[in-house]
Coordinates of all heavy atoms in Angstrom, one line a residue:
M1 N 60.5 -72.0 -5.0 CA 61.1 -71.0 -5.9 C 62.4 -71.5 -6.6 O 62.5 -71.3 -7.8 CB 61.4 -69.7 -5.0 CG 62.0 -68.7 -5.9 SD 62.2 -67.2 -4.9 CE 63.5 -66.4 -5.7
I2 N 63.2 -72.2 -5.8 CA 64.5 -72.7 -6.4 C 64.2 -73.7 -7.5 O 64.9 -73.7 -8.5 CB 65.3 -73.3 -5.3 CG1 65.7 -72.3 -4.2 CG2 66.6 -74.0 -5.9 CD1 66.6 -71.2 -4.7
R3 N 63.1 -74.5 -7.4 CA 62.8 -75.4 -8.4 C 62.5 -74.8 -9.8 O 62.9 -75.2 -10.8 CB 61.7 -76.3 -8.0 CG 62.0 -77.2 -6.9 CD 60.8 -78.1 -6.5 NE 61.2 -78.9 -5.3 CZ 60.3 -79.4 -4.5 NH1 59.0 -79.3 -4.7 NH2 60.7 -80.1 -3.5
F4 N 61.7 -73.7 -9.7 CA 61.4 -73.0 -10.9 C 62.6 -72.3 -11.5 O 62.7 -72.2 -12.7 CB 60.2 -72.0 -10.6 CG 58.9 -72.6 -10.3 CD1 58.4 -72.5 -9.0 CD2 58.2 -73.3 -11.3 CE1 57.2 -73.1 -8.7 CE2 57.0 -73.9 -11.0 CZ 56.5 -73.8 -9.7
L5 N 63.4 -71.7 -10.7 CA 64.6 -71.1 -11.2 C 65.6 -72.1 -11.8 O 66.2 -71.9 -12.9 CB 65.4 -70.4 -10.0 CG 64.7 -69.1 -9.5 CD1 65.5 -68.6 -8.3 CD2 64.5 -68.1 -10.5
A6 N 65.6 -73.3 -11.2 CA 66.5 -74.4 -11.8 C 65.9 -74.8 -13.2 O 66.6 -75.1 -14.1 CB 66.6 -75.5 -10.9
L7 N 64.6 -74.9 -13.2 CA 63.9 -75.3 -14.5 C 64.0 -74.2 -15.5 O 64.1 -74.6 -16.7 CB 62.4 -75.5 -14.2 CG 61.5 -76.2 -15.2 CD1 62.1 -77.6 -15.6 CD2 60.1 -76.3 -14.7
A8 N 64.2 -73.0 -15.1 CA 64.3 -71.9 -16.1 C 65.7 -71.9 -16.8 O 65.9 -71.2 -17.8 CB 64.2 -70.6 -15.4
V9 N 66.6 -72.7 -16.3 CA 67.9 -72.8 -17.0 C 67.8 -73.3 -18.4 O 68.6 -72.9 -19.3 CB 68.9 -73.7 -16.1 CG1 70.2 -74.0 -16.9 CG2 69.2 -73.0 -14.8
I10 N 66.9 -74.2 -18.6 CA 66.8 -74.8 -20.0 C 66.4 -73.8 -21.0 O 67.1 -73.6 -22.0 CB 65.8 -76.0 -19.9 CG1 66.3 -77.1 -19.0 CG2 65.5 -76.5 -21.4 CD1 65.2 -78.1 -18.6
P11 N 65.3 -73.0 -20.9 CA 65.0 -72.0 -21.9 C 66.0 -70.8 -21.8 O 66.3 -70.2 -22.8 CB 63.6 -71.5 -21.5 CG 63.4 -71.9 -20.1 CD 64.2 -73.1 -19.9
Q12 N 66.7 -70.6 -20.7 CA 67.7 -69.6 -20.6 C 68.9 -69.9 -21.5 O 69.4 -69.0 -22.1 CB 68.1 -69.4 -19.1 CG 69.0 -68.2 -18.9 CD 69.4 -68.1 -17.4 OE1 69.3 -69.0 -16.6 NE2 69.9 -66.9 -17.1
C13 N 69.2 -71.2 -21.6 CA 70.3 -71.6 -22.5 C 70.0 -71.2 -23.9 O 70.9 -70.8 -24.7 CB 70.6 -73.1 -22.3 SG 71.4 -73.5 -20.7
V14 N 68.7 -71.5 -24.3 CA 68.3 -71.1 -25.7 C 68.5 -69.6 -25.9 O 69.0 -69.2 -26.9 CB 66.9 -71.6 -25.9 CG1 66.4 -71.1 -27.3 CG2 66.8 -73.1 -25.8
N15 N 68.0 -68.9 -24.9 CA 68.1 -67.4 -25.1 C 69.5 -66.9 -25.1 O 69.8 -66.0 -26.0 CB 67.3 -66.7 -23.9 CG 65.8 -67.0 -24.0 OD1 65.3 -67.1 -25.0 ND2 65.2 -67.1 -22.8
L16 N 70.4 -67.4 -24.3 CA 71.8 -67.0 -24.3 C 72.5 -67.4 -25.6 O 73.3 -66.7 -26.1 CB 72.5 -67.6 -23.1 CG 72.1 -67.0 -21.8 CD1 72.8 -67.7 -20.6 CD2 72.4 -65.5 -21.7
L17 N 72.1 -68.6 -26.2 CA 72.7 -69.0 -27.4 C 72.3 -68.1 -28.5 O 73.1 -67.7 -29.4 CB 72.3 -70.4 -27.7 CG 72.9 -71.0 -29.0 CD1 74.4 -71.0 -29.0 CD2 72.4 -72.5 -29.2
Y18 N 71.0 -67.6 -28.5 CA 70.6 -66.7 -29.6 C 71.2 -65.3 -29.4 O 71.6 -64.7 -30.4 CB 69.0 -66.6 -29.5 CG 68.5 -65.8 -30.7 CD1 68.6 -66.3 -32.0 CD2 67.8 -64.6 -30.5 CE1 68.0 -65.6 -33.0 CE2 67.3 -63.9 -31.5 CZ 67.4 -64.4 -32.8 OH 66.9 -63.7 -33.9
I19 N 71.4 -64.9 -28.2 CA 72.2 -63.6 -28.0 C 73.6 -63.8 -28.5 O 74.1 -62.8 -29.1 CB 72.1 -63.3 -26.5 CG1 70.7 -62.8 -26.1 CG2 73.2 -62.2 -26.1 CD1 70.5 -62.5 -24.6
T20 N 74.2 -64.9 -28.2 CA 75.6 -65.1 -28.7 C 75.7 -65.1 -30.2 O 76.6 -64.5 -30.8 CB 76.2 -66.4 -28.1 OG1 76.1 -66.4 -26.7 CG2 77.6 -66.6 -28.6
V21 N 74.7 -65.8 -30.9 CA 74.7 -65.8 -32.3 C 74.6 -64.4 -32.9 O 75.2 -64.0 -33.8 CB 73.5 -66.7 -32.9 CG1 73.3 -66.5 -34.3 CG2 73.8 -68.1 -32.6
N22 N 73.7 -63.6 -32.2 CA 73.5 -62.2 -32.7 C 74.7 -61.3 -32.4 O 75.0 -60.3 -33.1 CB 72.3 -61.6 -32.1 CG 71.0 -62.1 -32.7 OD1 71.0 -62.4 -33.9 ND2 70.0 -62.4 -31.9
Q23 N 75.5 -61.6 -31.3 CA 76.7 -60.9 -31.0 C 77.7 -61.2 -32.1 O 78.4 -60.2 -32.6 CB 77.3 -61.3 -29.7 CG 76.6 -60.7 -28.5 CD 77.1 -61.2 -27.2 OE1 77.7 -62.3 -27.1 NE2 76.9 -60.5 -26.1
V24 N 77.8 -62.4 -32.6 CA 78.8 -62.8 -33.6 C 78.4 -62.1 -34.9 O 79.3 -61.6 -35.7 CB 78.9 -64.3 -33.8 CG1 79.6 -64.7 -35.1 CG2 79.5 -65.0 -32.6
K25 N 77.1 -62.0 -35.2 CA 76.6 -61.4 -36.5 C 76.4 -59.9 -36.3 O 76.0 -59.2 -37.3 CB 75.3 -62.0 -36.9 CG 75.5 -63.5 -37.3 CD 74.2 -64.1 -37.8 CE 74.4 -65.5 -38.3 NZ 73.3 -66.0 -39.0
K26 N 76.8 -59.3 -35.2 CA 76.7 -57.9 -34.9 C 75.3 -57.3 -35.1 O 75.1 -56.3 -35.7 CB 77.8 -57.2 -35.7 CG 79.2 -57.6 -35.4 CD 80.2 -56.8 -36.2 CE 81.6 -57.2 -36.1 NZ 82.2 -57.6 -34.9
R27 N 74.3 -58.0 -34.6 CA 72.9 -57.6 -34.7 C 72.5 -57.1 -33.3 O 71.8 -57.7 -32.6 CB 72.0 -58.7 -35.1 CG 72.3 -59.2 -36.5 CD 71.4 -60.4 -36.8 NE 71.7 -60.9 -38.2 CZ 71.2 -62.0 -38.6 NH1 70.4 -62.8 -37.8 NH2 71.5 -62.4 -39.8
V28 N 73.0 -55.9 -33.0 CA 72.8 -55.3 -31.7 C 71.3 -55.0 -31.4 O 70.8 -55.2 -30.3 CB 73.6 -53.9 -31.6 CG1 73.3 -53.3 -30.3 CG2 75.0 -54.2 -31.8
F29 N 70.5 -54.6 -32.5 CA 69.1 -54.4 -32.3 C 68.4 -55.6 -31.7 O 67.5 -55.5 -30.8 CB 68.5 -53.9 -33.6 CG 67.0 -53.8 -33.5 CD1 66.4 -52.7 -32.9 CD2 66.1 -54.8 -34.1 CE1 65.0 -52.6 -32.8 CE2 64.8 -54.6 -34.0 CZ 64.2 -53.5 -33.3
L30 N 68.7 -56.8 -32.3 CA 68.0 -58.0 -31.8 C 68.4 -58.4 -30.4 O 67.6 -58.9 -29.6 CB 68.4 -59.2 -32.7 CG 67.7 -59.1 -34.1 CD1 68.2 -60.2 -35.0 CD2 66.2 -59.1 -34.1
I31 N 69.7 -58.1 -30.0 CA 70.1 -58.3 -28.6 C 69.4 -57.4 -27.7 O 68.9 -57.9 -26.6 CB 71.6 -58.1 -28.5 CG1 72.4 -59.1 -29.4 CG2 72.1 -58.2 -27.1 CD1 73.9 -58.8 -29.6
I32 N 69.2 -56.2 -28.0 CA 68.5 -55.2 -27.2 C 67.1 -55.6 -27.1 O 66.5 -55.6 -26.0 CB 68.7 -53.8 -27.7 CG1 70.2 -53.4 -27.6 CG2 67.8 -52.8 -27.0 CD1 70.5 -52.1 -28.2
Y33 N 66.5 -55.9 -28.2 CA 65.0 -56.3 -28.2 C 64.8 -57.5 -27.4 O 63.8 -57.6 -26.6 CB 64.6 -56.5 -29.7 CG 63.1 -56.8 -29.8 CD1 62.2 -55.8 -29.6 CD2 62.7 -58.1 -30.1 CE1 60.8 -56.1 -29.7 CE2 61.3 -58.4 -30.2 CZ 60.4 -57.3 -30.0 OH 59.1 -57.6 -30.1
Q34 N 65.6 -58.5 -27.5 CA 65.4 -59.8 -26.7 C 65.6 -59.5 -25.2 O 64.8 -60.0 -24.4 CB 66.4 -60.9 -27.2 CG 66.2 -62.2 -26.4 CD 67.2 -63.2 -26.9 OE1 68.0 -63.0 -27.7 NE2 67.1 -64.4 -26.4
T35 N 66.7 -58.8 -24.9 CA 67.0 -58.5 -23.5 C 65.9 -57.6 -22.8 O 65.4 -57.9 -21.7 CB 68.3 -57.8 -23.3 OG1 69.3 -58.6 -24.0 CG2 68.7 -57.6 -21.9
L36 N 65.4 -56.7 -23.6 CA 64.3 -55.8 -23.1 C 63.0 -56.6 -22.9 O 62.3 -56.4 -21.9 CB 64.1 -54.6 -24.1 CG 63.0 -53.6 -23.7 CD1 63.4 -52.9 -22.4 CD2 62.8 -52.6 -24.8
S37 N 62.7 -57.5 -23.9 CA 61.6 -58.4 -23.7 C 61.6 -59.2 -22.5 O 60.6 -59.4 -21.8 CB 61.4 -59.2 -25.0 OG 61.2 -58.5 -26.1
L38 N 62.8 -59.8 -22.3 CA 63.0 -60.7 -21.1 C 62.8 -59.8 -19.8 O 62.1 -60.3 -18.9 CB 64.4 -61.3 -21.0 CG 64.6 -62.5 -21.8 CD1 66.0 -62.9 -21.9 CD2 63.8 -63.7 -21.2
A39 N 63.3 -58.6 -19.8 CA 63.2 -57.8 -18.6 C 61.8 -57.4 -18.3 O 61.3 -57.5 -17.2 CB 64.1 -56.6 -18.7
V40 N 61.1 -57.0 -19.3 CA 59.7 -56.5 -19.2 C 58.8 -57.7 -18.8 O 58.0 -57.5 -17.8 CB 59.2 -55.9 -20.5 CG1 57.7 -55.7 -20.5 CG2 59.9 -54.5 -20.7
L41 N 59.0 -58.8 -19.4 CA 58.2 -60.0 -19.1 C 58.5 -60.5 -17.6 O 57.5 -60.7 -16.9 CB 58.4 -61.1 -20.0 CG 57.7 -61.1 -21.3 CD1 58.2 -62.2 -22.3 CD2 56.2 -61.3 -21.1
A42 N 59.7 -60.6 -17.3 CA 60.1 -61.1 -16.0 C 59.6 -60.1 -14.9 O 59.0 -60.6 -13.8 CB 61.6 -61.3 -15.8
L43 N 59.8 -58.8 -15.1 CA 59.3 -57.9 -14.0 C 57.8 -57.8 -14.0 O 57.2 -57.7 -12.9 CB 60.0 -56.5 -14.3 CG 61.5 -56.4 -14.1 CD1 62.0 -55.1 -14.5 CD2 61.8 -56.7 -12.6
G44 N 57.2 -57.7 -15.1 CA 55.7 -57.6 -15.1 C 55.0 -58.8 -14.6 O 54.2 -58.8 -13.7
L45 N 55.5 -60.0 -15.0 CA 54.9 -61.3 -14.5 C 55.3 -61.4 -13.0 O 54.5 -62.0 -12.3 CB 55.4 -62.4 -15.3 CG 54.8 -62.6 -16.7 CD1 55.5 -63.7 -17.5 CD2 53.3 -62.9 -16.6
G46 N 56.5 -61.0 -12.7 CA 57.0 -61.2 -11.3 C 56.1 -60.4 -10.4 O 55.8 -60.9 -9.3
D47 N 55.7 -59.2 -10.7 CA 54.9 -58.4 -9.9 C 53.5 -59.0 -9.7 O 53.0 -59.1 -8.6 CB 54.7 -57.0 -10.5 CG 53.9 -56.0 -9.7 OD1 54.2 -56.0 -8.4 OD2 53.0 -55.4 -10.2
L48 N 53.0 -59.5 -10.8 CA 51.7 -60.1 -10.8 C 51.7 -61.4 -10.0 O 50.9 -61.7 -9.1 CB 51.2 -60.4 -12.2 CG 49.9 -61.2 -12.4 CD1 48.7 -60.3 -11.9 CD2 49.6 -61.6 -13.8
M49 N 52.7 -62.3 -10.3 CA 52.8 -63.6 -9.6 C 53.1 -63.5 -8.2 O 52.7 -64.4 -7.4 CB 53.8 -64.5 -10.3 CG 53.4 -64.8 -11.8 SD 51.9 -65.7 -11.8 CE 52.3 -66.9 -13.1
L50 N 53.9 -62.5 -7.8 CA 54.2 -62.3 -6.4 C 53.0 -62.1 -5.5 O 52.9 -62.6 -4.4 CB 55.2 -61.1 -6.2 CG 55.7 -60.8 -4.8 CD1 56.5 -61.9 -4.2 CD2 56.5 -59.5 -4.8
K51 N 52.0 -61.3 -6.1 CA 50.8 -61.1 -5.4 C 49.9 -62.3 -5.2 O 49.2 -62.5 -4.3 CB 50.0 -60.0 -6.1 CG 50.7 -58.6 -6.0 CD 49.9 -57.6 -6.9 CE 50.7 -56.3 -6.9 NZ 50.2 -55.4 -7.9
I52 N 50.0 -63.2 -6.2 CA 49.2 -64.4 -6.3 C 49.9 -65.6 -5.5 O 49.2 -66.2 -4.7 CB 48.9 -64.8 -7.7 CG1 48.1 -63.7 -8.4 CG2 48.1 -66.1 -7.8 CD1 48.0 -63.9 -9.9
F53 N 51.1 -65.8 -5.8 CA 51.8 -67.0 -5.3 C 52.9 -66.8 -4.2 O 53.6 -67.7 -3.8 CB 52.4 -67.8 -6.4 CG 51.4 -68.4 -7.4 CD1 51.3 -67.8 -8.7 CD2 50.6 -69.4 -7.1 CE1 50.4 -68.3 -9.6 CE2 49.7 -69.9 -8.0 CZ 49.6 -69.4 -9.2
G54 N 53.1 -65.5 -3.9 CA 54.2 -65.2 -3.0 C 55.6 -65.3 -3.7 O 55.7 -65.1 -4.9
L55 N 56.6 -65.7 -2.9 CA 57.9 -65.9 -3.5 C 58.0 -66.9 -4.6 O 58.8 -66.8 -5.5 CB 58.9 -66.2 -2.4 CG 59.4 -65.0 -1.5 CD1 60.4 -65.5 -0.5 CD2 60.0 -63.9 -2.4
N56 N 57.2 -67.9 -4.5 CA 57.2 -68.9 -5.6 C 56.8 -68.3 -6.9 O 57.2 -68.7 -8.0 CB 56.3 -70.1 -5.3 CG 56.9 -71.1 -4.4 OD1 58.1 -71.2 -4.3 ND2 56.1 -71.8 -3.6
G57 N 56.0 -67.3 -6.9 CA 55.6 -66.5 -8.1 C 56.7 -65.9 -8.8 O 56.7 -65.8 -10.0
I58 N 57.8 -65.5 -8.1 CA 58.9 -64.9 -8.7 C 59.6 -65.9 -9.6 O 60.0 -65.7 -10.7 CB 59.9 -64.3 -7.7 CG1 59.2 -63.2 -6.9 CG2 61.2 -63.8 -8.4 CD1 58.9 -62.0 -7.7
G59 N 59.8 -67.1 -9.1 CA 60.4 -68.2 -9.8 C 59.6 -68.6 -11.0 O 60.1 -68.9 -12.1
I60 N 58.3 -68.7 -10.8 CA 57.3 -69.0 -11.9 C 57.4 -67.9 -13.0 O 57.5 -68.3 -14.2 CB 55.9 -69.2 -11.4 CG1 55.8 -70.4 -10.5 CG2 54.9 -69.3 -12.6 CD1 54.5 -70.4 -9.7
A61 N 57.4 -66.7 -12.6 CA 57.5 -65.6 -13.6 C 58.8 -65.6 -14.4 O 58.8 -65.4 -15.6 CB 57.4 -64.3 -12.9
Y62 N 59.9 -65.9 -13.7 CA 61.2 -66.0 -14.4 C 61.2 -67.1 -15.4 O 61.7 -66.9 -16.5 CB 62.3 -66.2 -13.3 CG 63.7 -66.1 -13.8 CD1 64.3 -64.8 -14.1 CD2 64.5 -67.2 -14.0 CE1 65.6 -64.7 -14.6 CE2 65.8 -67.1 -14.5 CZ 66.3 -65.9 -14.8 OH 67.6 -65.8 -15.3
F63 N 60.7 -68.3 -15.0 CA 60.6 -69.4 -15.9 C 59.7 -69.1 -17.1 O 60.0 -69.4 -18.2 CB 60.1 -70.6 -15.1 CG 59.8 -71.8 -16.0 CD1 60.8 -72.5 -16.6 CD2 58.4 -72.2 -16.2 CE1 60.5 -73.6 -17.5 CE2 58.1 -73.2 -17.1 CZ 59.1 -73.9 -17.7
M64 N 58.6 -68.5 -16.8 CA 57.6 -68.2 -17.9 C 58.2 -67.2 -18.9 O 58.1 -67.3 -20.1 CB 56.3 -67.6 -17.3 CG 55.5 -68.7 -16.7 SD 54.0 -68.0 -15.8 CE 53.1 -67.2 -17.2
A65 N 58.9 -66.1 -18.4 CA 59.5 -65.1 -19.2 C 60.5 -65.8 -20.2 O 60.5 -65.5 -21.4 CB 60.1 -64.0 -18.4
H66 N 61.4 -66.6 -19.6 CA 62.4 -67.2 -20.4 C 61.8 -68.2 -21.4 O 62.3 -68.3 -22.5 CB 63.5 -67.9 -19.6 CG 64.6 -66.9 -19.1 ND1 65.6 -66.6 -20.0 CD2 64.8 -66.3 -18.0 CE1 66.4 -65.7 -19.4 NE2 65.9 -65.5 -18.1
S67 N 60.8 -68.9 -21.0 CA 60.1 -69.9 -21.9 C 59.5 -69.2 -23.1 O 59.6 -69.7 -24.2 CB 59.1 -70.7 -21.1 OG 59.7 -71.4 -20.1
V68 N 58.8 -68.1 -22.8 CA 58.1 -67.4 -23.9 C 59.1 -66.8 -24.9 O 58.9 -67.0 -26.1 CB 57.2 -66.2 -23.3 CG1 56.8 -65.3 -24.4 CG2 56.0 -66.8 -22.6
V69 N 60.2 -66.2 -24.4 CA 61.2 -65.7 -25.3 C 61.9 -66.8 -26.1 O 62.2 -66.7 -27.2 CB 62.2 -64.8 -24.6 CG1 63.3 -64.3 -25.5 CG2 61.4 -63.5 -24.0
A70 N 62.2 -67.9 -25.4 CA 62.8 -69.1 -26.0 C 62.0 -69.6 -27.1 O 62.5 -70.0 -28.2 CB 63.2 -70.1 -25.0
V71 N 60.7 -69.7 -27.0 CA 59.8 -70.2 -28.0 C 59.9 -69.2 -29.2 O 59.9 -69.7 -30.4 CB 58.4 -70.4 -27.5 CG1 57.4 -70.6 -28.6 CG2 58.3 -71.5 -26.5
V72 N 59.9 -68.0 -29.0 CA 59.9 -67.0 -30.0 C 61.2 -67.0 -30.8 O 61.2 -66.9 -32.0 CB 59.7 -65.5 -29.5 CG1 59.9 -64.5 -30.5 CG2 58.3 -65.4 -28.9
V73 N 62.3 -67.2 -30.1 CA 63.6 -67.2 -30.8 C 64.1 -68.5 -31.3 O 65.1 -68.6 -32.0 CB 64.8 -66.5 -29.9 CG1 64.4 -65.2 -29.5 CG2 65.1 -67.4 -28.8
A74 N 63.4 -69.6 -31.0 CA 63.8 -70.9 -31.4 C 63.9 -71.1 -32.9 O 64.9 -71.6 -33.5 CB 62.8 -72.0 -30.9
G75 N 62.9 -70.6 -33.7 CA 62.9 -70.7 -35.1 C 64.1 -69.9 -35.8 O 64.9 -70.5 -36.5
P76 N 64.3 -68.6 -35.5 CA 65.4 -67.9 -36.0 C 66.8 -68.5 -35.6 O 67.7 -68.5 -36.3 CB 65.3 -66.5 -35.5 CG 63.8 -66.4 -35.2 CD 63.3 -67.7 -34.8
L77 N 66.8 -69.0 -34.3 CA 68.1 -69.7 -33.9 C 68.4 -70.9 -34.7 O 69.5 -71.1 -35.1 CB 67.9 -70.0 -32.4 CG 69.1 -70.7 -31.8 CD1 70.4 -69.9 -31.9 CD2 68.8 -71.1 -30.3
L78 N 67.4 -71.8 -34.9 CA 67.6 -73.0 -35.7 C 68.1 -72.6 -37.1 O 69.0 -73.3 -37.6 CB 66.4 -73.8 -35.7 CG 66.1 -74.5 -34.3 CD1 64.8 -75.3 -34.4 CD2 67.2 -75.5 -34.0
R79 N 67.4 -71.6 -37.7 CA 67.8 -71.2 -39.0 C 69.3 -70.7 -39.0 O 70.0 -71.0 -39.9 CB 66.9 -70.1 -39.5 CG 66.0 -70.6 -40.6 CD 65.1 -69.5 -41.1 NE 63.9 -69.4 -40.3 CZ 63.4 -68.4 -39.6 NH1 64.0 -67.3 -39.7 NH2 62.3 -68.5 -38.9
A80 N 69.6 -69.9 -38.1 CA 71.0 -69.4 -38.0 C 72.0 -70.5 -37.8 O 73.1 -70.5 -38.4 CB 71.1 -68.3 -36.9
L81 N 71.7 -71.4 -37.0 CA 72.6 -72.5 -36.7 C 72.7 -73.4 -38.0 O 73.8 -73.9 -38.3 CB 72.2 -73.3 -35.5 CG 72.3 -72.6 -34.2 CD1 71.7 -73.5 -33.1 CD2 73.7 -72.2 -33.9
H82 N 71.6 -73.6 -38.7 CA 71.6 -74.4 -39.9 C 72.5 -73.7 -41.0 O 73.3 -74.4 -41.7 CB 70.2 -74.6 -40.4 CG 70.1 -75.5 -41.6 ND1 70.4 -76.9 -41.5 CD2 69.8 -75.2 -42.9 CE1 70.2 -77.4 -42.7 NE2 69.9 -76.4 -43.6
E83 N 72.3 -72.4 -41.1 CA 73.1 -71.7 -42.1 C 74.6 -71.7 -41.7 O 75.5 -71.9 -42.6 CB 72.7 -70.2 -42.1 CG 71.3 -70.0 -42.8 CD 70.8 -68.6 -42.6 OE1 71.5 -67.7 -42.1 OE2 69.7 -68.3 -43.0
S84 N 74.9 -71.6 -40.5 CA 76.4 -71.6 -40.1 C 76.9 -73.0 -40.3 O 78.1 -73.1 -40.6 CB 76.5 -71.1 -38.7 OG 76.0 -72.1 -37.8
G85 N 76.1 -74.0 -40.1 CA 76.6 -75.4 -40.4 C 76.9 -75.6 -41.9 O 77.9 -76.3 -42.2
K86 N 76.1 -75.0 -42.8 CA 76.4 -75.1 -44.2 C 77.7 -74.4 -44.5 O 78.4 -74.9 -45.4 CB 75.2 -74.4 -45.0 CG 74.0 -75.3 -45.1 CD 73.0 -74.6 -45.9 CE 71.7 -75.4 -46.0 NZ 70.7 -74.7 -46.8
E87 N 77.9 -73.2 -43.9 CA 79.2 -72.5 -44.2 C 80.4 -73.3 -43.8 O 81.4 -73.2 -44.4 CB 79.1 -71.1 -43.5 CG 78.1 -70.2 -44.0 CD 77.9 -68.9 -43.2 OE1 78.7 -68.7 -42.2 OE2 77.1 -68.1 -43.5
I88 N 80.3 -74.0 -42.6 CA 81.4 -74.7 -42.1 C 81.7 -75.9 -43.0 O 82.9 -76.2 -43.3 CB 81.2 -75.1 -40.7 CG1 81.2 -73.9 -39.8 CG2 82.2 -76.1 -40.2 CD1 80.7 -74.2 -38.4
S89 N 80.7 -76.6 -43.5 CA 80.9 -77.8 -44.3 C 81.4 -77.6 -45.7 O 81.9 -78.5 -46.3 CB 79.6 -78.6 -44.3 OG 78.6 -77.9 -45.0
H90 N 81.3 -76.4 -46.1 CA 81.7 -76.1 -47.5 C 83.1 -75.5 -47.5 O 83.9 -75.2 -47.1 CB 80.8 -75.1 -48.2 CG 79.4 -75.7 -48.5 ND1 79.1 -76.2 -49.8 CD2 78.4 -76.0 -47.7 CE1 77.9 -76.7 -49.7 NE2 77.4 -76.5 -48.5

């Protein structure tokens, strides 16, 4: 279980960076949507995986939830970071 939770730190960093970007831009709706998506995925997958894999399933579900959301927010995050880089350089 601990291995999956440690592995989940990588996509979790992407998710937290996107939340931070949205906090700066005051996009509360996107923060709520992302956080709600993470919660629903983690709890739903956790319930399913717990029955299949036991406690390791909780770690797998947490990793999967963060990975799915990180893949979804990667594009908008890169765009936002690229735009902010342009603003800084000018």
Side-chain angles (χ1 to χ4, degrees):
M1 179 172 156
I2 298 295
R3 291 178 185 163
F4 292 110
L5 292 176
L7 192 59
V9 169
I10 298 165
Q12 186 178 19
C13 288
V14 173
N15 292 328
L16 290 175
L17 183 58
Y18 190 63
I19 287 174
T20 303
V21 167
N22 286 324
Q23 285 176 338
V24 169
K25 293 186 176 190
K26 298 183 188 318
R27 295 179 180 167
V28 178
F29 174 75
L30 292 175
I31 297 168
I32 293 170
Y33 184 72
Q34 182 181 3
T35 307
L36 183 65
S37 299
L38 277 170
V40 168
L41 278 171
L43 291 173
L45 287 171
D47 183 47
L48 177 69
M49 297 296 223
L50 181 63
K51 294 173 185 171
I52 298 170
F53 297 108
L55 281 179
N56 280 334
I58 299 293
I60 294 168
Y62 189 77
F63 171 70
M64 287 174 59
H66 273 283
S67 296
V68 166
V69 174
V71 167
V72 170
V73 303
L77 176 61
L78 288 174
R79 251 182 271 123
L81 293 176
H82 184 69
E83 289 171 4
S84 66
K86 284 182 181 178
E87 292 173 5
I88 293 172
S89 65
H90 290 261

